[in-house]
Amino acid sequence: MSHPSSRFAAAAIARLGFWKAHRFLLLRRASQLTVLTLFAMGPWAGIWLLQGNLSASLLLDTVPLADPLTTLQVLLTGHLPQFQLLLGAILIGLFYGLLGGRVFCSWVCPVNMVTDFAAWLRRRFNLPRTPELPGKFRYFMLALVLLLPMLTGFTVWEWLNPVPILYRALLFGNVTGISIIVAIFLADLLLAERLWCSHVCPTGALYGLLGKLSPVKIAAVKREACNNCMDCFSVCPERQLLKPALKGQQRLISDADCTLCGRCIDVCAAEVFQYKNRFNKEFQRFAHKAENEQ
């Protein structure tokens, strides 16, 4: 008897081909590894295209880029950040506000590769689904992360933030704090599905808020073709967002918790899902007509 994981998305691969059934997964890995490589070229080869890390960096020795959460923490310590840090945070905030905030989580963040690997292992060994924390718990974490600098005068979260910790480990061989990454992996594997990214991470919470009004969304455009195979539910890191788009009044996944990873598009043999500009007049007319026909 074949293992359940061997049958996963088989219909999509058979109908669409391997590339189309994996394209957004492969493009995301290429994006994550490209960002990592751009940072690595400095310390490894002396080519400084990007200096720093995802907390704060300088592109081509000219354009400042900064994590909005890091910058907010500095502000809340009572110290005015350098102009470059403020400008960098504004640029990154506008960028992800336009593309969809949590696109950072699935297309850039290196921790996503760790948590995706844990999710793959869960499917590979057919581990039972475990109880999930409330999805909004990450916003409590965000509030706590922003409160601590006001109480202590220090950017406390940056001592524990797994994103710069993983970057330091990969780029400089600094294994201090790598136990945090191992803990995230084991928690995702053994305690609850997508525990870190979907329920705890304060960075993802802030990016979700930043991308709330983004025009880029995923929509169940051809939901009438859905055969309830549940493959999209198996891969989606925020699967609670799928049912309203498939069965509710609105086809658009408008919730800011969506990471825009595109895996629901990949694995759907019926090609139900597509990326859409929600402000596109043609899509709005289609969606309005479809809802009126229900």
Side-chain angles (χ1 to χ4, degrees):
M1 181 176 179
S2 61
H3 193 280
S5 67
S6 68
R7 301 192 301 270
F8 173 71
I13 296 170
R15 184 172 186 272
L16 307 175
F18 182 86
W19 162 249
K20 204 169 180 181
H22 295 85
R23 56 182 164 163
F24 291 115
L25 173 63
L26 296 174
L27 288 170
R28 285 196 299 115
R29 293 294 174 259
S31 172
Q32 291 162 331
L33 293 174
T34 296
V35 173
L36 179 61
T37 300
L38 288 174
F39 279 114
M41 288 173 67
W44 290 359
I47 303 173
W48 298 95
L49 298 178
L50 265 176
Q51 301 178 47
N53 56 45
L54 288 174
S55 294
S57 57
L58 198 61
L59 174 64
L60 298 174
D61 205 27
T62 303
V63 182
L65 304 170
D67 174 15
L69 182 56
T70 301
T71 306
L72 275 175
Q73 290 176 81
V74 174
L75 279 169
L76 292 173
T77 63
H79 299 91
L80 184 66
Q82 292 182 344
F83 173 74
Q84 277 194 331
L85 190 66
L86 284 171
L87 178 59
I90 291 170
L91 291 175
I92 289 295
L94 290 173
F95 178 77
Y96 286 113
L98 179 64
L99 287 184
R102 291 202 68 204
V103 74
F104 167 84
C105 302
S106 57
W107 289 81
V108 177
C109 181
V111 179
N112 171 259
M113 292 187 280
V114 176
T115 58
D116 270 3
F117 180 51
W120 179 83
L121 286 174
R122 292 188 65 87
R123 291 196 303 272
R124 178 69 181 82
F125 294 105
N126 200 27
L127 296 181
R129 285 188 170 174
T130 47
E132 296 180 349
L133 290 171
K136 303 305 178 185
F137 182 76
R138 66 166 75 97
Y139 295 102
F140 168 78
M141 285 293 297
L142 175 61
L144 179 62
V145 165
L146 295 177
L147 179 63
L148 286 173
M150 292 189 284
L151 297 177
T152 66
F154 297 99
T155 55
V156 178
W157 173 243
E158 295 311 302
W159 301 344
L160 303 172
N161 190 342
V163 176
I165 284 173
L166 185 52
Y167 258 63
R168 285 194 294 268
L170 293 174
L171 298 183
F172 305 106
N174 185 347
V175 296
T176 303
I178 201 67
S179 57
I180 293 174
I181 305 299
V182 174
I184 288 173
F185 170 76
L186 292 176
D188 268 36
L189 180 65
L190 302 175
L191 296 183
E193 281 186 270
R194 307 283 184 178
L195 177 62
W196 177 256
C197 294
S198 295
H199 304 290
V200 179
C201 179
T203 300
L206 181 60
Y207 276 119
L209 293 175
L210 287 175
K212 207 166 183 63
L213 300 179
S214 166
V216 182
K217 300 293 179 183
I218 289 177
V221 176
K222 295 165 55 179
R223 68 182 185 185
E224 294 83 5
C226 176
N227 62 3
N228 297 313
C229 71
M230 303 299 286
D231 280 353
C232 59
F233 281 84
S234 296
V235 293
C236 181
E238 301 287 350
R239 60 176 177 262
Q240 75 279 1
L241 306 181
L242 293 174
K243 186 177 179 179
L246 289 170
K247 306 296 183 183
Q249 291 187 341
Q250 190 180 73
R251 296 167 184 260
L252 197 72
I253 301 177
S254 57
D255 196 298
D257 285 345
C258 177
T259 69
L260 295 168
C261 67
R263 280 300 277 155
C264 59
I265 303 175
D266 280 345
V267 303
C268 182
E271 299 183 274
V272 167
F273 299 97
Q274 296 176 23
Y275 283 110
K276 285 294 179 182
N277 174 358
R278 65 170 168 170
F279 299 127
N280 180 274
K281 290 183 180 179
E282 182 180 350
F283 173 71
Q284 288 181 331
R285 284 196 297 270
F286 162 77
H288 182 68
K289 179 182 177 182
E291 305 318 330
N292 286 339
E293 290 175 352
Q294 286 189 346

